[in-house]
Amino acid sequence: MLFENKLTTPKEAFIDITPQVREAVVKSGVTDGIAIVYSPHTTAGITINENADPDVVHDLLLGLSKAFFDSAEFRHNEGNSAAHLKATAIGSSVTVIIDGGELLLGTWQGVYFCEFDPPRNRKFFVKIIKG
Ligand code: ZN
């Protein structure tokens, strides 16, 4: 079962999409299986990380910007190669185990949509597979 979600991203950010993933699990009726969360974009990604202390997201964004900075040597004429680099480093999808109708996330984990090239209208997919 496939679910599509839309979101707007006014700034570079990690957006907690755990509630939308949980909602997809509930709607699917699947109690044991996997949820694949996927971004179809080249300058955004999907990851799992801490959702308790917001300073973690701040530090992730800061660290990524220091690791993947803009360069005058880049050729891509859209001028957003740093965003492409961050998206590739983060990846386009995550897989979460569904066990007993719940996402098998750790206590401090959340699923994030990672925007690196705002502002944009974005979407992500949640595929629920029974098994
Ligand atoms: Zn580009």
Side-chain angles (χ1 to χ4, degrees):
M1 200 173 280
L2 183 66
F3 299 88
E4 180 177 338
N5 293 269
K6 295 185 187 321
L7 69 169
T8 56
T9 56
K11 61 178 184 163
E12 189 162 347
F14 278 32
I15 299 153
D16 188 348
I17 57 171
T18 312
Q20 292 96 315
V21 181
R22 286 206 168 100
E23 185 182 342
V25 172
V26 170
K27 283 184 177 173
S28 75
V30 171
T31 55
D32 292 282
I34 58 172
I36 300 168
V37 187
Y38 172 72
S39 158
H41 304 290
T42 59
T43 55
I46 304 284
T47 195
I48 294 173
N49 215 296
E50 177 166 334
N51 68 353
D53 179 1
D55 283 344
V56 172
V57 166
H58 169 274
D59 293 352
L60 288 170
L61 285 166
L62 183 65
L64 284 165
S65 290
K66 288 185 182 294
F68 303 105
F69 48 85
D70 284 319
S71 169
E73 295 175 87
F74 290 154
R75 293 183 179 178
H76 179 43
N77 64 11
E78 196 181 13
N80 62 352
S81 288
H84 286 284
L85 282 163
K86 292 173 191 174
T88 284
I90 289 292
S92 295
S93 68
V94 297
T95 303
V96 185
I97 297 167
I98 302 165
D99 183 59
E102 301 286 335
L103 293 172
L104 204 55
L105 290 168
T107 303
W108 310 114
Q109 287 183 319
V111 183
Y112 285 98
F113 183 94
C114 310
E115 176 59 74
F116 299 120
D117 195 23
R120 300 273 183 171
N121 292 315
R122 300 293 204 180
K123 62 186 172 185
F124 64 91
F125 296 100
V126 182
K127 177 76 175 181
I128 306 293
I129 300 171
K130 185 178 180 180

